[in-house]
Amino acid sequence: MVRQFMGDTVHGGLHNSNVIKMDTNLMFQNLLEHNAAKRVEILIVMRKLLKEGNQLPTFQDARRNSIFEIFLHVLDDSRWEVRYQCLLLICAVIPDITEELDSCISIVLQKVISNLGHENVNVRRAALQVLHNYMKYTNNLQNFQRKFIQFGLESSEHIVRKGCIMSIGILFASGFENENLFPLIECLSKHFVDGDASLFYPIFLAMQKINELVGTPTFEQYLQKLEEEAANTYLRVLSKFSLNGSRMSSSSGSRSSFSNLNGILGTSTNKLLKYDFGIFQPYITEKIKSDDWKTRVEAIEHMKIIIREIPDFSEKISDMDEYMIFLSQLLEDSNFKIVIQVLSVYDLLIDKFKNQMKRFLKTFVTSVLKRLGDAKLVVREHAIRVIHKLMHFVKPTDVLGNLLQFKDSRNPRLREEIVNRVTGAVLTFPSYNFEFLPLCEAVAPLLADTKRRVRLAALECFAALAQAMGPTRLVPLVTAVDVVEINSDAEGLLSAVQARLARRILPRCTEDGAVSYAIMLPSSAGCQNRNVSPWGSDIEWIMAASGSSSSTPPSRSKDVLSIDLDQNGESVSKLVEINQTKNVNVNIFRRSSNWLNNSHHNGISTDVDSQVNL
């Protein structure tokens, strides 16, 4: 409604409107009413009068301050259109009230500064324009600097602080070369050390803008007056962002010369340059040791910003092995929110190191493995994503080799997820990336695990392996199953694998590596006191183990989703009775040495092709 009214007012012609003939006092009285459309119209009319050279009239004999008190009231309006038009009018009024400028602007200054953090970009730009115009005409820039710090940088609202920090490069430009900007630098440095982690990089760029404005000698004097930790933080980040020791990027994309960089660093004590792992400020690691979990999360967020923003991070961090040990210890935190943040750090490290991850692959995998079998699903999902992402930069077989060393863990969730990592890798990457014999031999013992979920995961994994290997290369798979059945006294295992492959349906793997099983297990209660099971050999085998299983709706407890091919070769989903697969006979699972020997030369029969063509 307000926007439509604004359009009608502008395009309809203000001079033909009755508003233009309205008494000045009545105009201001209408501004005091809480009518957005009327306020917008009057503000536009007033601004047009000023543009045409008319002086803004006062309330009869009232002072100009009274007008700005009305503006203050209008700026309290929550509707952005009203604030926007009011700020534009204030900006237009400023050149006409030079004598009373400071006293008038002081009335609305806090409101104007707070609008630098407004959610609407038009309001933010208008507020910035007001402040820029005011700074051109005022004779007391130091007072403005104090108010900017008080109402903006030290505001209790995060969005206001952020808006002010982002505006420094524009506001404090020409005209401030000879001003004392140390109070501004001092305030920024406090936020640099103790403030929000998300503002770390914007604060650094704001300080760089001031460096460019006042010059290196003056800025060096500012640094010497700062607390040691603040100067330490700035100098270290500066040295990391420097290009060839003399140039670096500013927020505007331009290049700035730092010919005295070595001199600045030389004037600081050696203690200032002692950073943890050669790149992180000591206060970050100190915060991570805090008893307050929110403080620890904030410190890790700060660490992530440094990793994300610093170019060539992989080259600049001094001791990656120690850093990996440090992160591994953080993964043992009892607060799952801390653990998730640390796992996101591992995710960032993969982005930074890419193919170089192989340098510390074992330490990396062993650390993330701690949370791969976590009791909380959200933690497991983050760990799964990290491991799966790692396989895109390091050979999947190398990652799986490190994982499978822990397949005998006492934690059944970890055993299940290790098998799922094999399944996810086989479903994601081309078959030429794998050596199937060692994979089959490593996963096969878990087919006879004592827990149902692990057996289910292993059967699903073998379905994926069989599909990747192809019907003519299944000898390693059959041999691995055969060995486990004989050595582990696991009678019925071959029949279970046979029944699973006969379903001709594969598990699914998401982009993040999460595996969804193709078959659903019935509830434990459903399998009790049954002499004859209608489920099939594979599910019978799973249910024979201990532990709970995911329950299946009663209507689906005897069914399983299967995928077949129609006459045109298109995949067709259908429900089949599980007990139909119970007596399916697949030749490749007959324990026959003659078959194994002949399969190398003659291949697998047509009957096998039809049964195992997943």
Side-chain angles (χ1 to χ4, degrees):
M1 177 65 183
V2 175
R3 295 179 187 177
Q4 182 180 358
F5 207 109
M6 287 172 62
D8 294 342
T9 301
V10 174
H11 298 295
L14 291 172
H15 288 291
N16 295 328
S17 172
N18 291 329
V19 178
I20 200 72
K21 301 176 182 178
M22 187 183 298
D23 179 78
T24 303
N25 287 341
L26 185 57
M27 281 188 182
F28 285 114
Q29 288 174 9
N30 286 330
L31 284 179
L32 294 175
E33 296 180 7
H34 202 66
N35 185 320
K38 186 178 291 186
R39 279 180 168 178
V40 167
E41 182 182 17
I42 292 173
L43 290 168
I44 292 176
V45 169
M46 287 183 167
R47 186 157 52 90
K48 188 169 183 65
L49 287 173
L50 287 172
K51 284 184 178 180
E52 293 177 349
N54 296 295
Q55 290 290 321
L56 184 66
T58 61
F59 282 159
Q60 297 176 351
D61 297 326
R63 296 181 305 153
R64 294 289 177 91
N65 287 1
S66 300
I67 300 175
F68 276 81
E69 288 173 358
I70 295 176
F71 289 159
L72 177 65
H73 180 75
V74 176
L75 286 175
D76 281 329
D77 198 305
S78 60
R79 291 157 292 196
W80 75 265
E81 296 93 342
V82 176
R83 290 196 187 190
Y84 173 62
Q85 292 298 333
C86 185
L87 288 168
L88 292 180
L89 179 57
I90 293 173
C91 188
V93 168
I94 287 175
D96 295 328
I97 53 172
T98 53
E99 293 182 0
E100 304 174 29
L101 178 61
D102 290 330
S103 62
C104 290
I105 291 295
S106 64
I107 297 173
V108 297
L109 187 57
Q110 182 174 359
K111 288 288 184 182
V112 175
I113 292 175
S114 66
N115 276 301
L116 290 175
H118 197 277
E119 60 183 5
N120 186 277
V121 64
N122 293 315
V123 176
R124 295 199 302 271
R125 289 173 179 171
L128 191 62
Q129 189 176 350
V130 170
L131 295 177
H132 190 268
N133 219 18
Y134 169 61
M135 292 165 68
K136 283 170 53 179
Y137 290 95
T138 183
N139 294 320
N140 196 346
L141 289 174
Q142 286 298 316
N143 180 65
F144 170 76
Q145 181 181 202
R146 288 192 296 271
K147 296 299 183 182
F148 184 80
I149 293 172
Q150 178 185 352
F151 300 140
L153 298 180
E154 295 180 349
S155 171
S156 59
E157 298 183 40
H158 174 271
I159 191 66
V160 174
R161 296 196 303 272
K162 180 179 179 180
C164 290
I165 291 170
M166 302 296 287
S167 303
I168 286 176
I170 300 174
L171 289 176
F172 294 87
S174 59
F176 273 85
E177 295 87 347
N178 300 319
E179 294 288 335
N180 177 21
L181 298 183
F182 176 72
L184 188 63
I185 289 294
E186 185 178 32
C187 181
L188 288 173
S189 67
K190 291 178 181 178
H191 287 297
F192 208 31
V193 174
D194 300 320
D196 301 316
S198 61
L199 298 179
F200 178 83
Y201 189 58
I203 291 172
F204 172 73
L205 293 179
M207 294 177 72
Q208 275 305 110
K209 276 293 187 180
I210 297 174
N211 190 337
E212 297 174 17
L213 177 65
V214 301
T216 301
T218 302
F219 195 79
E220 181 179 350
Q221 294 176 7
Y222 292 166
L223 291 181
Q224 292 173 353
K225 295 178 183 179
L226 294 177
E227 293 183 3
E228 187 175 282
E229 187 176 5
N232 175 20
T233 302
Y234 174 80
L235 291 173
R236 186 60 180 180
V237 176
L238 176 63
S239 65
K240 291 297 179 182
F241 275 87
S242 296
L243 182 62
N244 297 327
S246 61
R247 298 173 71 85
M248 69 168 291
S249 298
S250 67
S251 59
S252 62
S254 61
R255 298 283 183 175
S256 304
S257 175
F258 290 92
S259 58
N260 293 330
L261 175 61
N262 294 330
I264 296 175
L265 296 175
T267 59
S268 304
T269 62
N270 291 331
K271 183 179 179 181
L272 290 180
L273 298 180
K274 290 183 179 179
Y275 272 59
D276 293 329
F277 313 110
I279 204 164
F280 298 111
Q281 299 90 332
Y283 81 90
I284 296 179
T285 51
E286 287 299 320
K287 281 187 174 182
I288 289 177
K289 299 175 184 177
S290 170
D291 294 332
D292 180 16
W293 71 268
K294 292 183 179 179
T295 301
R296 299 202 300 278
V297 168
E298 182 181 307
I300 297 172
E301 283 285 357
H302 196 159
M303 185 176 288
K304 287 164 58 179
I305 291 174
I306 294 175
I307 295 173
R308 188 183 298 113
E309 298 293 344
I310 292 184
D312 302 325
F313 174 86
S314 59
E315 298 177 5
K316 292 178 179 178
I317 189 166
S318 62
D319 197 333
M320 190 61 190
D321 292 330
E322 286 190 14
Y323 184 54
M324 294 299 298
I325 295 173
F326 173 75
L327 291 178
S328 181
Q329 293 172 345
L330 289 181
L331 278 178
E332 298 175 2
D333 198 291
S334 59
N335 190 307
F336 80 96
K337 294 182 179 179
I338 303 294
V339 173
I340 290 174
Q341 287 293 330
V342 176
L343 287 172
S344 65
V345 172
Y346 279 94
D347 194 298
L348 282 174
L349 290 177
I350 295 174
D351 291 331
K352 287 294 182 178
F353 283 89
K354 299 185 184 301
N355 298 332
Q356 300 178 46
M357 287 297 300
K358 194 171 183 179
R359 286 165 37 195
F360 37 85
L361 177 63
K362 185 173 183 179
T363 306
F364 189 97
V365 172
T366 304
S367 299
V368 178
L369 200 68
K370 293 179 180 180
R371 294 299 180 173
L372 193 59
D374 196 271
K376 286 189 176 293
L377 176 60
V378 64
V379 175
R380 291 202 304 274
E381 288 174 342
H382 277 76
I384 288 168
R385 180 163 60 248
V386 170
I387 292 294
H388 197 70
K389 184 176 182 178
L390 181 63
M391 294 185 196
H392 287 81
F393 298 98
V394 179
K395 289 182 180 179
T397 51
D398 292 341
V399 178
L400 295 176
N402 283 279
L403 284 173
L404 288 168
Q405 294 179 20
F406 299 89
K407 65 185 178 68
D408 297 324
S409 167
R410 296 176 60 184
N411 182 349
R413 280 189 297 268
L414 179 57
R415 298 198 300 272
E416 178 186 358
E417 278 307 327
I418 288 175
V419 175
N420 285 341
R421 293 311 93 230
V422 178
T423 306
V426 171
L427 291 173
T428 302
F429 301 98
S431 59
Y432 58 74
N433 285 289
F434 303 97
E435 297 178 11
F436 290 106
L437 176 59
L439 284 181
C440 291
E441 291 176 344
V443 176
L446 296 172
L447 289 166
D449 197 273
T450 58
K451 296 296 182 180
R452 291 173 186 165
R453 297 288 301 179
V454 181
R455 288 191 180 189
L456 172 60
L459 280 173
E460 295 293 278
C461 183
F462 263 62
L465 286 169
Q467 188 272 343
M469 296 168 72
T472 62
R473 297 189 299 165
L474 291 178
V475 174
L477 185 147
V478 175
T479 304
V481 175
D482 201 28
V483 169
V484 172
E485 185 174 43
I486 295 173
N487 295 341
S488 301
D489 192 21
E491 184 178 356
L493 178 57
L494 277 172
S495 298
V497 177
Q498 166 191 340
R500 174 62 188 90
L501 297 191
R503 296 187 188 281
R504 296 194 294 181
I505 178 174
L506 292 174
R508 296 179 180 179
C509 180
T510 67
E511 185 178 347
D512 289 334
V515 172
S516 300
Y517 300 142
I519 60 176
M520 295 178 290
L521 298 181
S523 63
S524 300
C527 68
Q528 294 177 357
N529 300 324
R530 289 179 181 267
N531 295 324
V532 179
S533 172
W535 296 323
S537 299
D538 50 355
I539 295 183
E540 284 183 38
W541 175 259
I542 295 170
M543 299 304 293
S546 63
S548 61
S549 58
S550 299
S551 61
T552 305
S555 61
R556 297 287 304 277
S557 62
K558 295 184 180 181
D559 298 332
V560 65
L561 183 65
S562 181
I563 296 180
D564 208 343
L565 299 178
D566 63 11
Q567 294 178 351
N568 298 321
E570 298 292 329
S571 62
V572 179
S573 298
K574 62 180 181 179
L575 286 174
V576 297
E577 289 289 334
I578 293 179
N579 57 8
Q580 291 178 2
T581 67
K582 182 177 179 181
N583 298 319
V584 174
N585 183 20
V586 183
N587 291 337
I588 63 171
F589 292 100
R590 293 176 181 170
R591 193 179 297 116
S592 170
S593 58
N594 292 331
W595 179 86
L596 289 174
N597 293 331
N598 294 335
S599 64
H600 288 286
H601 306 287
N602 302 327
I604 297 180
S605 65
T606 304
D607 179 54
V608 173
D609 288 342
S610 64
Q611 297 288 348
V612 193
N613 186 20
L614 298 180

